[in-house]
PDB file of all heavy atoms in Angstrom:
ATOM      1  N   THR A   5      -0.135   4.747  -1.879  1.00 42.00           N
ATOM      2  CA  THR A   5      -0.592   5.963  -1.204  1.00 42.00           C
ATOM      3  C   THR A   5       0.398   7.113  -1.325  1.00 42.00           C
ATOM      4  O   THR A   5      -0.006   8.258  -1.411  1.00 42.00           O
ATOM      5  CB  THR A   5      -0.833   5.706   0.291  1.00 42.00           C
ATOM      6  OG1 THR A   5       0.374   5.167   0.819  1.00 42.00           O
ATOM      7  CG2 THR A   5      -1.975   4.763   0.523  1.00 42.00           C
ATOM      8  N   ARG A  28     -12.171  23.978  -4.056  1.00 82.00           N
ATOM      9  CA  ARG A  28     -11.587  22.886  -3.264  1.00 82.00           C
ATOM     10  C   ARG A  28     -12.111  21.546  -3.747  1.00 82.00           C
ATOM     11  O   ARG A  28     -11.378  20.575  -3.875  1.00 82.00           O
ATOM     12  CB  ARG A  28     -11.925  23.078  -1.785  1.00 82.00           C
ATOM     13  CG  ARG A  28     -11.016  24.108  -1.128  1.00 82.00           C
ATOM     14  CD  ARG A  28     -11.389  24.291   0.300  1.00 82.00           C
ATOM     15  NE  ARG A  28     -11.330  23.044   1.052  1.00 82.00           N
ATOM     16  CZ  ARG A  28     -11.813  22.933   2.284  1.00 82.00           C
ATOM     17  NH1 ARG A  28     -12.392  23.947   2.863  1.00 82.00           N
ATOM     18  NH2 ARG A  28     -11.713  21.784   2.911  1.00 82.00           N
ATOM     19  N   ILE A  47      -3.908  -1.263  -8.718  1.00 92.00           N
ATOM     20  CA  ILE A  47      -4.862  -1.784  -7.725  1.00 92.00           C
ATOM     21  C   ILE A  47      -5.778  -2.804  -8.379  1.00 92.00           C
ATOM     22  O   ILE A  47      -6.062  -3.864  -7.811  1.00 92.00           O
ATOM     23  CB  ILE A  47      -5.674  -0.621  -7.100  1.00 92.00           C
ATOM     24  CG1 ILE A  47      -4.741   0.233  -6.238  1.00 92.00           C
ATOM     25  CG2 ILE A  47      -6.830  -1.153  -6.274  1.00 92.00           C
ATOM     26  CD1 ILE A  47      -5.400   1.449  -5.631  1.00 92.00           C
ATOM     27  N   ASN A  70     -15.706 -31.427  -5.282  1.00 86.00           N
ATOM     28  CA  ASN A  70     -14.950 -32.162  -6.310  1.00 86.00           C
ATOM     29  C   ASN A  70     -14.670 -31.219  -7.461  1.00 86.00           C
ATOM     30  O   ASN A  70     -15.611 -30.624  -8.000  1.00 86.00           O
ATOM     31  CB  ASN A  70     -15.784 -33.324  -6.849  1.00 86.00           C
ATOM     32  CG  ASN A  70     -15.751 -34.534  -5.951  1.00 86.00           C
ATOM     33  OD1 ASN A  70     -15.222 -34.475  -4.858  1.00 86.00           O
ATOM     34  ND2 ASN A  70     -16.328 -35.617  -6.410  1.00 86.00           N
ATOM     35  N   PRO A  74     -20.515 -29.037 -10.305  1.00 85.00           N
ATOM     36  CA  PRO A  74     -21.169 -27.733 -10.166  1.00 85.00           C
ATOM     37  C   PRO A  74     -21.654 -27.464  -8.745  1.00 85.00           C
ATOM     38  O   PRO A  74     -22.094 -26.365  -8.445  1.00 85.00           O
ATOM     39  CB  PRO A  74     -22.353 -27.833 -11.137  1.00 85.00           C
ATOM     40  CG  PRO A  74     -22.639 -29.293 -11.249  1.00 85.00           C
ATOM     41  CD  PRO A  74     -21.351 -30.005 -11.038  1.00 85.00           C
ATOM     42  N   THR A  75     -21.626 -28.465  -7.872  1.00 86.00           N
ATOM     43  CA  THR A  75     -22.139 -28.261  -6.517  1.00 86.00           C
ATOM     44  C   THR A  75     -21.089 -28.621  -5.467  1.00 86.00           C
ATOM     45  O   THR A  75     -20.137 -29.352  -5.745  1.00 86.00           O
ATOM     46  CB  THR A  75     -23.385 -29.139  -6.249  1.00 86.00           C
ATOM     47  OG1 THR A  75     -22.965 -30.515  -6.297  1.00 86.00           O
ATOM     48  CG2 THR A  75     -24.470 -28.893  -7.272  1.00 86.00           C
ATOM     49  N   ALA A  76     -21.296 -28.065  -4.261  1.00 88.00           N
ATOM     50  CA  ALA A  76     -20.388 -28.356  -3.152  1.00 88.00           C
ATOM     51  C   ALA A  76     -21.171 -28.224  -1.862  1.00 88.00           C
ATOM     52  O   ALA A  76     -22.256 -27.640  -1.850  1.00 88.00           O
ATOM     53  CB  ALA A  76     -19.225 -27.376  -3.166  1.00 88.00           C
ATOM     54  N   ASP A  86      -8.865 -31.851   8.980  1.00 87.00           N
ATOM     55  CA  ASP A  86      -8.400 -33.077   8.295  1.00 87.00           C
ATOM     56  C   ASP A  86      -6.914 -32.967   7.963  1.00 87.00           C
ATOM     57  O   ASP A  86      -6.162 -33.935   8.088  1.00 87.00           O
ATOM     58  CB  ASP A  86      -9.179 -33.283   6.983  1.00 87.00           C
ATOM     59  CG  ASP A  86     -10.588 -33.763   7.245  1.00 87.00           C
ATOM     60  OD1 ASP A  86     -10.878 -34.085   8.408  1.00 87.00           O
ATOM     61  OD2 ASP A  86     -11.379 -33.807   6.283  1.00 87.00           O
ATOM     62  N   ASP A 175      20.046 -44.860  -5.639  1.00 90.00           N
ATOM     63  CA  ASP A 175      18.705 -45.144  -6.182  1.00 90.00           C
ATOM     64  C   ASP A 175      17.920 -43.846  -6.305  1.00 90.00           C
ATOM     65  O   ASP A 175      16.996 -43.576  -5.533  1.00 90.00           O
ATOM     66  CB  ASP A 175      17.956 -46.131  -5.265  1.00 90.00           C
ATOM     67  CG  ASP A 175      18.661 -47.467  -5.203  1.00 90.00           C
ATOM     68  OD1 ASP A 175      19.373 -47.813  -6.170  1.00 90.00           O
ATOM     69  OD2 ASP A 175      18.519 -48.169  -4.183  1.00 90.00           O
ATOM     70  N   TYR A 177      15.667 -42.795  -8.261  1.00 91.00           N
ATOM     71  CA  TYR A 177      14.231 -42.811  -8.570  1.00 91.00           C
ATOM     72  C   TYR A 177      13.410 -43.689  -7.636  1.00 91.00           C
ATOM     73  O   TYR A 177      12.189 -43.633  -7.669  1.00 91.00           O
ATOM     74  CB  TYR A 177      14.003 -43.294 -10.006  1.00 91.00           C
ATOM     75  CG  TYR A 177      14.669 -42.448 -11.056  1.00 91.00           C
ATOM     76  CD1 TYR A 177      15.227 -43.022 -12.185  1.00 91.00           C
ATOM     77  CD2 TYR A 177      14.733 -41.073 -10.917  1.00 91.00           C
ATOM     78  CE1 TYR A 177      15.841 -42.249 -13.154  1.00 91.00           C
ATOM     79  CE2 TYR A 177      15.352 -40.287 -11.865  1.00 91.00           C
ATOM     80  CZ  TYR A 177      15.909 -40.884 -12.977  1.00 91.00           C
ATOM     81  OH  TYR A 177      16.508 -40.124 -13.927  1.00 91.00           O
ATOM     82  N   LEU A 268       7.112 -42.902  -3.098  1.00 90.00           N
ATOM     83  CA  LEU A 268       6.581 -42.936  -1.739  1.00 90.00           C
ATOM     84  C   LEU A 268       6.330 -41.528  -1.200  1.00 90.00           C
ATOM     85  O   LEU A 268       6.562 -41.266  -0.027  1.00 90.00           O
ATOM     86  CB  LEU A 268       7.545 -43.706  -0.821  1.00 90.00           C
ATOM     87  CG  LEU A 268       7.578 -45.201  -1.071  1.00 90.00           C
ATOM     88  CD1 LEU A 268       8.868 -45.813  -0.574  1.00 90.00           C
ATOM     89  CD2 LEU A 268       6.389 -45.880  -0.409  1.00 90.00           C
ATOM     90  N   TYR A 279      -1.272 -29.555  -5.840  1.00 91.00           N
ATOM     91  CA  TYR A 279      -1.551 -30.060  -7.186  1.00 91.00           C
ATOM     92  C   TYR A 279      -2.125 -31.478  -7.124  1.00 91.00           C
ATOM     93  O   TYR A 279      -3.131 -31.791  -7.772  1.00 91.00           O
ATOM     94  CB  TYR A 279      -0.270 -30.031  -8.025  1.00 91.00           C
ATOM     95  CG  TYR A 279      -0.361 -30.889  -9.259  1.00 91.00           C
ATOM     96  CD1 TYR A 279      -1.130 -30.494 -10.350  1.00 91.00           C
ATOM     97  CD2 TYR A 279       0.283 -32.119  -9.318  1.00 91.00           C
ATOM     98  CE1 TYR A 279      -1.235 -31.299 -11.469  1.00 91.00           C
ATOM     99  CE2 TYR A 279       0.184 -32.926 -10.433  1.00 91.00           C
ATOM    100  CZ  TYR A 279      -0.578 -32.513 -11.505  1.00 91.00           C
ATOM    101  OH  TYR A 279      -0.697 -33.323 -12.601  1.00 91.00           O
ATOM    102  N   ALA A 284      -4.958 -33.936  -9.444  1.00 84.00           N
ATOM    103  CA  ALA A 284      -4.915 -35.385  -9.635  1.00 84.00           C
ATOM    104  C   ALA A 284      -6.051 -36.044  -8.843  1.00 84.00           C
ATOM    105  O   ALA A 284      -6.726 -36.938  -9.336  1.00 84.00           O
ATOM    106  CB  ALA A 284      -3.570 -35.933  -9.202  1.00 84.00           C
ATOM    107  N   GLY A 285      -6.281 -35.568  -7.602  1.00 83.00           N
ATOM    108  CA  GLY A 285      -7.322 -36.160  -6.775  1.00 83.00           C
ATOM    109  C   GLY A 285      -8.686 -35.525  -6.979  1.00 83.00           C
ATOM    110  O   GLY A 285      -9.696 -36.105  -6.627  1.00 83.00           O
ATOM    111  N   ARG A 287      -9.884 -33.150  -5.334  1.00 82.00           N
ATOM    112  CA  ARG A 287     -10.444 -32.673  -4.058  1.00 82.00           C
ATOM    113  C   ARG A 287     -10.117 -31.185  -3.919  1.00 82.00           C
ATOM    114  O   ARG A 287      -9.205 -30.789  -3.194  1.00 82.00           O
ATOM    115  CB  ARG A 287      -9.871 -33.486  -2.902  1.00 82.00           C
ATOM    116  CG  ARG A 287     -10.123 -34.969  -3.059  1.00 82.00           C
ATOM    117  CD  ARG A 287      -9.334 -35.776  -2.045  1.00 82.00           C
ATOM    118  NE  ARG A 287      -9.879 -35.620  -0.703  1.00 82.00           N
ATOM    119  CZ  ARG A 287      -9.236 -36.007   0.395  1.00 82.00           C
ATOM    120  NH1 ARG A 287      -8.042 -36.551   0.307  1.00 82.00           N
ATOM    121  NH2 ARG A 287      -9.791 -35.845   1.579  1.00 82.00           N
TER     122      ARG A 287
ATOM    123  N   ALA B   2      -8.104  18.969   4.837  1.00 43.00           N
ATOM    124  CA  ALA B   2      -9.529  19.116   4.559  1.00 43.00           C
ATOM    125  C   ALA B   2     -10.158  17.756   4.294  1.00 43.00           C
ATOM    126  O   ALA B   2      -9.562  16.912   3.633  1.00 43.00           O
ATOM    127  CB  ALA B   2      -9.711  20.016   3.342  1.00 43.00           C
ATOM    128  N   LEU B  11      -8.579   6.793   1.697  1.00 60.00           N
ATOM    129  CA  LEU B  11      -7.883   5.636   1.128  1.00 60.00           C
ATOM    130  C   LEU B  11      -8.358   4.336   1.761  1.00 60.00           C
ATOM    131  O   LEU B  11      -8.525   3.318   1.107  1.00 60.00           O
ATOM    132  CB  LEU B  11      -6.379   5.785   1.330  1.00 60.00           C
ATOM    133  CG  LEU B  11      -5.661   6.506   0.196  1.00 60.00           C
ATOM    134  CD1 LEU B  11      -4.208   6.709   0.557  1.00 60.00           C
ATOM    135  CD2 LEU B  11      -5.767   5.714  -1.099  1.00 60.00           C
ATOM    136  N   LEU B  18     -12.694  -1.870  -2.393  1.00 57.00           N
ATOM    137  CA  LEU B  18     -12.048  -2.807  -3.320  1.00 57.00           C
ATOM    138  C   LEU B  18     -12.002  -4.215  -2.731  1.00 57.00           C
ATOM    139  O   LEU B  18     -12.262  -5.205  -3.406  1.00 57.00           O
ATOM    140  CB  LEU B  18     -10.639  -2.327  -3.658  1.00 57.00           C
ATOM    141  CG  LEU B  18     -10.575  -1.052  -4.501  1.00 57.00           C
ATOM    142  CD1 LEU B  18      -9.147  -0.527  -4.567  1.00 57.00           C
ATOM    143  CD2 LEU B  18     -11.101  -1.311  -5.894  1.00 57.00           C
ATOM    144  N   SER B  31     -22.169 -24.076  -6.723  1.00 79.00           N
ATOM    145  CA  SER B  31     -23.330 -23.733  -5.917  1.00 79.00           C
ATOM    146  C   SER B  31     -23.409 -24.707  -4.745  1.00 79.00           C
ATOM    147  O   SER B  31     -22.872 -25.825  -4.807  1.00 79.00           O
ATOM    148  CB  SER B  31     -24.602 -23.806  -6.761  1.00 79.00           C
ATOM    149  OG  SER B  31     -24.735 -25.101  -7.281  1.00 79.00           O
ATOM    150  N   SER B  33     -25.024 -27.318  -2.588  1.00 72.00           N
ATOM    151  CA  SER B  33     -26.093 -28.315  -2.693  1.00 72.00           C
ATOM    152  C   SER B  33     -25.568 -29.659  -2.211  1.00 72.00           C
ATOM    153  O   SER B  33     -24.393 -29.969  -2.365  1.00 72.00           O
ATOM    154  CB  SER B  33     -26.551 -28.431  -4.152  1.00 72.00           C
ATOM    155  OG  SER B  33     -27.343 -29.586  -4.318  1.00 72.00           O
ATOM    156  N   SER B  35     -26.624 -32.472  -3.433  1.00 63.00           N
ATOM    157  CA  SER B  35     -26.585 -33.430  -4.548  1.00 63.00           C
ATOM    158  C   SER B  35     -25.381 -33.151  -5.438  1.00 63.00           C
ATOM    159  O   SER B  35     -24.825 -32.060  -5.426  1.00 63.00           O
ATOM    160  CB  SER B  35     -27.859 -33.318  -5.369  1.00 63.00           C
ATOM    161  OG  SER B  35     -27.920 -32.037  -5.943  1.00 63.00           O
ATOM    162  N   GLN B  98      -7.497 -33.722 -16.111  1.00 91.00           N
ATOM    163  CA  GLN B  98      -7.343 -32.573 -15.210  1.00 91.00           C
ATOM    164  C   GLN B  98      -7.770 -31.289 -15.907  1.00 91.00           C
ATOM    165  O   GLN B  98      -8.405 -30.414 -15.321  1.00 91.00           O
ATOM    166  CB  GLN B  98      -5.900 -32.487 -14.735  1.00 91.00           C
ATOM    167  CG  GLN B  98      -5.555 -33.572 -13.721  1.00 91.00           C
ATOM    168  CD  GLN B  98      -4.061 -33.803 -13.577  1.00 91.00           C
ATOM    169  OE1 GLN B  98      -3.256 -32.965 -13.947  1.00 91.00           O
ATOM    170  NE2 GLN B  98      -3.698 -34.958 -13.053  1.00 91.00           N
ATOM    171  N   ARG B 122     -15.443 -40.146 -12.526  1.00 91.00           N
ATOM    172  CA  ARG B 122     -15.457 -38.811 -11.911  1.00 91.00           C
ATOM    173  C   ARG B 122     -16.181 -37.812 -12.799  1.00 91.00           C
ATOM    174  O   ARG B 122     -16.901 -36.951 -12.334  1.00 91.00           O
ATOM    175  CB  ARG B 122     -14.032 -38.347 -11.625  1.00 91.00           C
ATOM    176  CG  ARG B 122     -13.651 -38.614 -10.176  1.00 91.00           C
ATOM    177  CD  ARG B 122     -12.309 -38.060  -9.858  1.00 91.00           C
ATOM    178  NE  ARG B 122     -11.263 -39.032 -10.116  1.00 91.00           N
ATOM    179  CZ  ARG B 122      -9.984 -38.800  -9.886  1.00 91.00           C
ATOM    180  NH1 ARG B 122      -9.604 -37.619  -9.419  1.00 91.00           N
ATOM    181  NH2 ARG B 122      -9.079 -39.723 -10.110  1.00 91.00           N
ATOM    182  N   GLN B 269      15.069 -49.228 -11.631  1.00 82.00           N
ATOM    183  CA  GLN B 269      15.771 -48.099 -11.006  1.00 82.00           C
ATOM    184  C   GLN B 269      15.569 -46.811 -11.803  1.00 82.00           C
ATOM    185  O   GLN B 269      15.955 -45.740 -11.376  1.00 82.00           O
ATOM    186  CB  GLN B 269      17.270 -48.403 -10.905  1.00 82.00           C
ATOM    187  CG  GLN B 269      17.597 -49.604 -10.034  1.00 82.00           C
ATOM    188  CD  GLN B 269      17.141 -49.421  -8.602  1.00 82.00           C
ATOM    189  OE1 GLN B 269      17.491 -48.439  -7.965  1.00 82.00           O
ATOM    190  NE2 GLN B 269      16.330 -50.340  -8.106  1.00 82.00           N
ATOM    191  N   GLY B 270      14.993 -46.949 -13.014  1.00 77.00           N
ATOM    192  CA  GLY B 270      14.788 -45.771 -13.856  1.00 77.00           C
ATOM    193  C   GLY B 270      13.526 -45.023 -13.468  1.00 77.00           C
ATOM    194  O   GLY B 270      12.899 -45.312 -12.456  1.00 77.00           O
ATOM    195  N   PRO B 406     -11.490 -41.006  -6.201  1.00 88.00           N
ATOM    196  CA  PRO B 406     -10.432 -40.045  -6.473  1.00 88.00           C
ATOM    197  C   PRO B 406      -9.172 -40.365  -5.668  1.00 88.00           C
ATOM    198  O   PRO B 406      -9.248 -40.611  -4.462  1.00 88.00           O
ATOM    199  CB  PRO B 406     -11.040 -38.709  -6.032  1.00 88.00           C
ATOM    200  CG  PRO B 406     -12.501 -38.890  -6.192  1.00 88.00           C
ATOM    201  CD  PRO B 406     -12.763 -40.335  -5.856  1.00 88.00           C
ATOM    202  N   GLN B 417       4.337 -49.514  -3.557  1.00 95.00           N
ATOM    203  CA  GLN B 417       5.722 -49.023  -3.482  1.00 95.00           C
ATOM    204  C   GLN B 417       6.344 -49.367  -2.124  1.00 95.00           C
ATOM    205  O   GLN B 417       7.516 -49.733  -2.044  1.00 95.00           O
ATOM    206  CB  GLN B 417       5.752 -47.509  -3.695  1.00 95.00           C
ATOM    207  CG  GLN B 417       5.542 -47.094  -5.149  1.00 95.00           C
ATOM    208  CD  GLN B 417       5.619 -45.589  -5.329  1.00 95.00           C
ATOM    209  OE1 GLN B 417       5.510 -44.822  -4.373  1.00 95.00           O
ATOM    210  NE2 GLN B 417       5.788 -45.161  -6.566  1.00 95.00           N
ATOM    211  N   GLN B 443     -15.857 -38.527   1.277  1.00 85.00           N
ATOM    212  CA  GLN B 443     -15.941 -37.098   0.975  1.00 85.00           C
ATOM    213  C   GLN B 443     -16.249 -36.819  -0.494  1.00 85.00           C
ATOM    214  O   GLN B 443     -16.874 -35.812  -0.814  1.00 85.00           O
ATOM    215  CB  GLN B 443     -14.621 -36.414   1.350  1.00 85.00           C
ATOM    216  CG  GLN B 443     -14.370 -36.388   2.843  1.00 85.00           C
ATOM    217  CD  GLN B 443     -13.124 -35.616   3.202  1.00 85.00           C
ATOM    218  OE1 GLN B 443     -12.379 -35.169   2.335  1.00 85.00           O
ATOM    219  NE2 GLN B 443     -12.882 -35.448   4.488  1.00 85.00           N
ATOM    220  N   ASN B 444     -15.780 -37.672  -1.383  1.00 85.00           N
ATOM    221  CA  ASN B 444     -15.820 -37.303  -2.799  1.00 85.00           C
ATOM    222  C   ASN B 444     -16.672 -38.198  -3.684  1.00 85.00           C
ATOM    223  O   ASN B 444     -16.807 -37.924  -4.867  1.00 85.00           O
ATOM    224  CB  ASN B 444     -14.383 -37.259  -3.354  1.00 85.00           C
ATOM    225  CG  ASN B 444     -13.507 -36.305  -2.573  1.00 85.00           C
ATOM    226  OD1 ASN B 444     -12.815 -36.708  -1.655  1.00 85.00           O
ATOM    227  ND2 ASN B 444     -13.585 -35.038  -2.906  1.00 85.00           N
TER     228      ASN B 444
END
Side-chain angles (χ1 to χ4, degrees):
Chain A
T5 55
R28 280 179 58 190
I47 292 177
N70 279 8
T75 65
D86 286 351
D175 297 334
Y177 301 143
L268 289 157
Y279 163 73
R287 303 170 72 193
Chain B
L11 270 175
L18 291 170
S31 59
S33 166
S35 64
Q98 287 161 19
R122 263 185 270 182
Q269 298 299 306
Q417 285 182 343
Q443 292 185 355
N444 303 94

